[in-house]
Amino acid sequence: MTASVELVAEMAGVSVSTVSRALRDIPGVSAATRKRVQDLARQLGYSASPAASRLATGRTQTVGIVVPVLAKWFFGKVIGEAAHTLREAGFDVLLFELATLAQRERFFGGAHLHGRTDGVIIIALQPTKGELESLASQGQAVALLGAEAQGIGSVSVDNVSAGRAAVRHLLNLGHERIAFIGIRDDDGSNLGGVPPLQRLTGYREALSTAGLPQDRTLEQFDENSVAGGALAMSRLLVTDQVPTAAFVASDEMAFGALKVLRKAGLDVPRDFSVLGFDNHELCDVVDLTTMDHEVAEQGQNAARILLDILKGGPPAALVRPARLVVRETTAPPRALRLPASTPDSPPSAGHPGNP
């Protein structure tokens, strides 16, 4: 006959809820009691069923993960790593996609998580004070990824420093007319959320430090996709003075920019340098120079921060650096790499970077 939780509780001299807490490593049980209960359960061959444990503790052993869109490499990578870490800790995962303002209002305006999840990881969305209060009223622990809020656990990247480092690389190569291709929000605000806005700030700061003018015609924004990057680059190529390099706020947009440059007959990096952001798994395929902010590790970090909060720990705020990964899409501008032209070797007209 299989031992019951009631028998373990009776022999240990504690309540059923204490047994459940001790076996699930939930705070509120002394170390001595926890060891006594665990030893007795092992001797009696008792194994707590997930359903019984959830009823006894009031925990669902489930975490919600909220994203603005599922069909993107970045979000798939983060979700996969976070979910793996949570499952290893004994938690199930529910996914929520808030692709529109209406979906976001419905999600935070109701009690969608009450009794369904113990906590939630919010990815690449900056929650308002009211939205955080809604989650708190539903008893939810919260961890943010790609955003920050006072008193809330979070994982973020130092995007301003990363933007500066990206542009400094291009400046050090000798580029002076450097464009920025950024992510536009659905409402057309050109902010694209907190991280892309911070990358734009880093871009502007690097140019300012170098004493270069701020030319807003060199800042182009579109949707975060290959098609969006292609459209933004197409607009840059018809400006009065075509730039010689571009810092692109996401690798997916950079892939589109590369496609347009090559279709226009421009050699990358001889005629035009491109630097992306993310270190997408296809960067090796196209040899894209980029900023690596360790996407997979961010997912793991966010999950661990939330698990620590659920165990009663403080809400940690982790800020990660990004590092430059140099590949084959960045080089000195053509004018700096060619010797002085001679009658036998005239410069190719029409390419950016030529005198």
Side-chain angles (χ1 to χ4, degrees):
M1 179 177 176
T2 304
S4 66
V5 65
E6 289 82 7
L7 178 59
V8 176
E10 181 182 349
M11 294 188 66
V14 297
S15 66
V16 169
S17 63
T18 298
V19 170
S20 183
R21 285 178 176 275
L23 296 180
R24 303 292 294 185
D25 282 329
I26 293 172
V29 181
S30 70
T33 300
R34 189 184 306 277
K35 184 176 186 307
R36 185 168 76 254
V37 169
Q38 291 175 345
D39 288 345
L40 275 170
R42 191 161 45 250
Q43 292 167 15
L44 295 170
Y46 172 73
S47 177
S49 71
S53 178
R54 291 170 186 178
L55 286 172
T57 63
R59 289 284 184 88
T60 67
Q61 290 300 118
T62 302
V63 167
I65 298 181
V66 180
V67 295
V69 60
L70 288 170
K72 288 289 181 185
W73 172 84
F74 172 85
F75 295 110
K77 192 76 173 175
V78 168
I79 291 169
E81 294 295 333
H84 178 73
T85 302
L86 292 167
R87 283 195 298 267
E88 282 193 329
F91 283 77
D92 295 326
V93 173
L94 285 179
L95 289 179
F96 300 90
E97 182 182 38
L98 308 184
T100 67
L101 181 59
Q103 290 173 338
R104 180 168 179 163
E105 289 174 345
R106 281 198 302 272
F107 179 81
F108 288 106
H112 294 286
L113 299 181
H114 183 70
R116 298 179 67 192
T117 59
D118 300 323
V120 60
I121 298 174
I122 301 175
I123 302 172
L125 289 169
Q126 181 65 58
T128 65
K129 181 180 178 182
E131 289 170 343
L132 290 173
E133 289 173 349
S134 173
L135 294 174
S137 71
Q138 297 176 63
Q140 301 297 307
V142 178
L144 306 177
L145 193 157
E148 298 172 274
Q150 184 68 34
I152 303 295
S154 63
V155 180
S156 59
V157 174
D158 188 349
N159 284 284
V160 175
S161 293
R164 285 197 300 262
V167 177
R168 273 201 307 269
H169 172 66
L170 297 171
L171 289 167
N172 290 340
L173 289 172
H175 294 277
E176 294 187 351
R177 193 160 175 79
I178 301 169
F180 177 82
I181 293 179
I183 300 167
R184 183 182 66 211
D185 275 346
D186 290 337
D187 62 5
S189 65
N190 289 354
L191 300 186
V194 174
L197 176 60
Q198 293 175 339
R199 292 166 203 169
L200 173 61
T201 299
Y203 160 83
R204 289 175 175 172
E205 288 183 359
L207 292 181
S208 178
T209 300
L212 295 174
Q214 304 279 327
D215 185 347
R216 293 298 187 261
T217 65
L218 294 183
E219 297 175 5
Q220 294 292 328
F221 302 86
D222 220 292
E223 67 175 20
N224 185 17
S225 66
V226 174
L231 289 170
M233 180 56 73
S234 296
R235 293 193 293 270
L236 285 170
L237 292 183
V238 296
T239 55
D240 291 337
Q241 285 185 282
V242 178
T244 62
F247 168 42
V248 189
S250 84
D251 286 339
E252 286 192 51
M253 297 188 82
F255 299 152
L258 290 172
K259 179 181 178 181
V260 166
L261 288 167
R262 285 163 179 160
K263 280 188 127 184
L266 297 176
D267 181 271
V268 178
R270 189 181 184 204
D271 299 319
F272 201 110
S273 288
V274 176
L275 194 158
F277 204 106
D278 283 337
N279 205 20
H280 190 290
E281 58 193 16
L282 292 180
C283 285
D284 274 330
V285 177
V286 299
D287 276 330
L288 177 66
T289 297
T290 190
M291 298 300 297
D292 181 11
H293 54 133
E294 298 183 320
V295 174
E297 287 79 358
Q298 289 185 59
Q300 297 166 8
N301 293 154
R304 288 173 183 143
I305 285 173
L306 185 66
L307 291 170
D308 286 344
I309 295 171
L310 289 171
K311 290 178 182 178
L318 176 63
V319 179
R320 299 179 59 96
R323 66 183 180 90
L324 176 69
V325 180
V326 180
R327 295 190 179 94
E328 300 299 320
T329 60
T330 53
R334 185 184 181 100
L336 295 183
R337 300 187 330 119
L338 290 178
S341 60
T342 66
D344 295 326
S345 58
S348 300
H351 288 304
N354 286 331

